[in-house]
């Protein structure tokens, strides 16, 4: 029986010691998270109103160079919320990349719209602007570039590919808090951007998400739809079918503590990523995640692609697990999932880049408190396993 948090933490520490296990991700609540959560609980504002929520949204907007932010229950509903606010529905097409977490595609289907799945570029692993241009039709209402594994999509190029088609660009930046296109942060590059604050993301609230935008109409509509479509001036008058997609003040308290020290969090993770690069860049059996000349990626997860002469990914994963090191295979491309397999990829010749990455990609442990000694150990075991 776990009768206090302290007992539980001791128990977890013991487990770590005995297994020397290096997990793929680990949550760091070493800032003011506990203090702010206790404060939120003491205030009794534990549902979806309260000062931490207001502050969290303000910080999200400021840090992304956006006019406003709408915090949500998770990152998946953040995508659904912005699509619903833009009135995207049946008959509409939304262009998305083949290589992403399934939430991107599911949110499009929640609206009854059609996901149009195209390939990613080899040099960013993100939506290919030329393929977006080729996939445009008179029904295209939105493009959803995903900043995969922290590397920003070339959103400005995608915007110019649209010319005057009128389609919206909504960036799924769930994995890319703090990433930049030249000196501009993701969040202000598209018509709107969404984030996830799940436990393994760079900034976390446990479960949580947000949409940021500078479009006042979309902002107002998202606030309405997030709150069951209730008229802000008339209680229990609901002008349309909305959703309960609200975040709690308790979760926002965690978020405020995280954002207060986000530069430090990014700094810690950048050191880890650099160490991985230094240790692994000369291995001929591996290639590392590319970085475009204009990009400053967010240090979310460090990734390698197993190249010619390497063992199979399953073998590498197994060998590393035996040494107590957790790794993570890449997302399975959408077109290889049963729900999306039938969606013929529009890009000529299918989605070979996404398929190759999906088959050979592996993510390595990346979290704030991973020491450089542990990074060296992961690399040593990887180089033996590959
Ligand atoms: C994490 C993630 C989401 C949203 O996930 P939630 O678990 O719902 O917060 C959406 N898209 C991508 C690419 C993600 O990695």
């Amino acid at each position: 029986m776990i009768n206090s948090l302290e007992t539980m933490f001791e128990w977890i520490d013991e487990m770590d010691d005995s297994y020397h296990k290096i997990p793929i991700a680990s949550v760091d609540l070493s800032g003011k998270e506990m203090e702010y959560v206790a404060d939120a609980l003491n205030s009794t504002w534990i549902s979806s109103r309260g000062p931490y929520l207001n502050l969290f949204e303000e910080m999200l907007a400021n840090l992304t160079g956006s006019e406003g932010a709408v915090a949500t229950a998770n990152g998946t509903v953040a995508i659904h919320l912005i699509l619903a606010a833009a009135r995207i529905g049946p008959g509409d097409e939304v262009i998305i990349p083949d290589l992403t977490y399934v939430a991107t595609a599911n949110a499009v289907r929640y609206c009854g719209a059609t996901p149009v799945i195209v390939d990613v570029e080899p040099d960013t692993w993100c939506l290919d602007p030329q393929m977006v241009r080729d996939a445009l039709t008179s029904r295209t209402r939105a493009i959803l570039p995903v900043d995969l594994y922290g590397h920003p999509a070339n959103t400005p190029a995608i915007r110019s590919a649209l010319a005057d088609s009128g389609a919206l660009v909504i960036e799924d930046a769930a994995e890319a808090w703090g990433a930049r296109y030249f000196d501009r942060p993701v969040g202000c590059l598209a018509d709107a951007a969404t984030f996830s604050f799940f436990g393994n993301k760079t900034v976390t609230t446990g479960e949580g998400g947000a949409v940021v935008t500078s479009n006042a109409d979309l902002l107002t509509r998202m606030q309405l739809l997030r709150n069951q479509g209730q008229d802000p001036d008339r209680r229990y008058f609901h002008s349309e079918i909305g959703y309960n997609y609200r975040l709690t003040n308790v979760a926002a308290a965690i978020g405020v503590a995280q954002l207060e020290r986000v530069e430090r969090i990014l700094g810690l993770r950048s050191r880890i990523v650099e160490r991985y690069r230094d240790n692994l860049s000369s291995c001929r059996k591996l290639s590392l995640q590319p970085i475009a000349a204009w990009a400053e990626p967010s240090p979310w997860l460090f990734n390698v692609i197993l190249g010619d002469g390497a063992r199979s990914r399953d073998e590498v994963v197994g060998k590393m697990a035996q040494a107590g090191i957790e790794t993570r295979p890449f997302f399975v491309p959408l077109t290889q999932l049963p729900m999306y397999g039938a969606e013929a990829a529009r890009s000529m010749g299918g989605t070979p880049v996404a398929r190759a990455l999906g088959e050979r990609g592996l993510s390595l442990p990346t979290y704030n408190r991973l020491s450089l000694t542990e990074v060296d150990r992961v690399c040593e075991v990887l180089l033996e396993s590959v």
Side-chain angles (χ1 to χ4, degrees), residues 74-76 79 100-101 103-104 146 172 174-175 196 198 201 208:
N74 59 65
T76 307
I79 307 171
T100 181
Y101 180 53
T104 318
V146 178
D172 179 350
E175 302 175 358
S196 163
F198 184 65
K201 299 287 162 72

Side-chain angles (χ1 to χ4, degrees), residues 18-286:
S18 53
Y19 290 107
H20 299 289
K21 190 160 163 67
I22 302 180
I24 184 84
S26 168
V27 176
D28 170 11
L29 303 173
S30 62
K32 292 195 168 163
E33 286 84 353
M34 301 280 181
E35 183 187 327
Y36 292 171
V37 166
D39 183 48
L41 295 178
N42 280 322
S43 75
T44 76
W45 290 97
I46 64 168
S47 284
S48 44
R49 276 206 283 170
Y52 285 107
L53 266 175
N54 299 338
L55 185 55
F56 187 47
E57 288 184 337
E58 207 179 293
M59 292 172 94
L60 288 168
N62 286 341
L63 289 168
T64 58
S66 309
E67 287 297 316
V70 176
T72 58
N74 59 65
T76 307
V77 301
I79 307 171
H80 182 219
L81 185 66
I82 179 67
L83 293 173
R87 298 190 162 85
I88 286 165
D92 295 337
E93 293 178 351
V94 179
I95 299 175
I96 60 175
D98 197 17
L99 195 59
T100 181
Y101 180 53
V102 71
T104 318
N106 287 351
V108 175
R109 282 278 183 84
Y110 298 161
C111 300
T114 305
V116 173
I117 300 168
V118 305
D119 207 359
V120 296
E121 302 178 289
D123 48 356
T124 62
W125 298 358
C126 299
L127 202 53
D128 187 325
Q130 183 55 48
M131 300 213 176
V132 168
R133 195 193 300 262
D134 295 344
L136 279 177
T137 73
S138 58
R139 292 172 174 242
T140 309
R141 292 284 320 282
I143 323 297
L144 246 169
V146 178
D147 302 329
L148 197 76
Y149 295 119
H151 192 293
N154 195 344
T155 300
I158 291 169
R159 285 185 100 151
S160 28
L162 299 182
D164 44 18
S165 80
L168 287 175
V169 179
I170 297 162
E171 191 163 354
D172 179 350
E175 302 175 358
W177 181 271
R180 288 171 187 275
Y181 176 90
F182 290 107
D183 57 354
R184 295 163 66 204
V186 300
C188 70
L189 303 168
D191 294 292
T194 66
F195 291 99
S196 163
F197 306 121
F198 184 65
N200 70 6
K201 299 287 162 72
T202 306
V203 170
T204 186
T205 60
E207 291 275 5
V211 186
V212 297
T213 182
S214 293
N215 180 316
D217 292 339
L218 288 175
L219 208 53
T220 310
R221 268 189 66 66
M222 286 193 287
Q223 281 153 350
L224 179 86
L225 292 174
R226 170 180 63 173
N227 192 31
Q228 302 283 22
Q230 179 178 269
D231 188 325
D233 302 320
R234 189 172 162 201
R235 278 209 286 168
Y236 302 112
F237 184 79
H238 305 267
S239 53
E240 61 186 294
I241 295 178
Y243 311 92
N244 175 358
Y245 281 174
R246 300 178 301 248
L247 186 73
T248 68
N249 192 50
V250 180
I254 303 175
V256 168
Q258 294 261 301
L259 287 184
E260 273 180 357
R261 60 192 176 96
V262 70
E263 282 308 314
R264 181 166 159 68
I265 290 173
L266 292 171
L268 287 169
R269 300 175 80 105
S270 295
R271 272 177 81 225
I272 292 166
V273 165
E274 273 164 38
R275 184 71 153 224
Y276 271 128
R277 286 197 171 270
D278 287 349
N279 287 351
L280 299 175
S281 59
S282 61
C283 176
R284 283 177 299 115
K285 293 181 192 169
L286 296 175

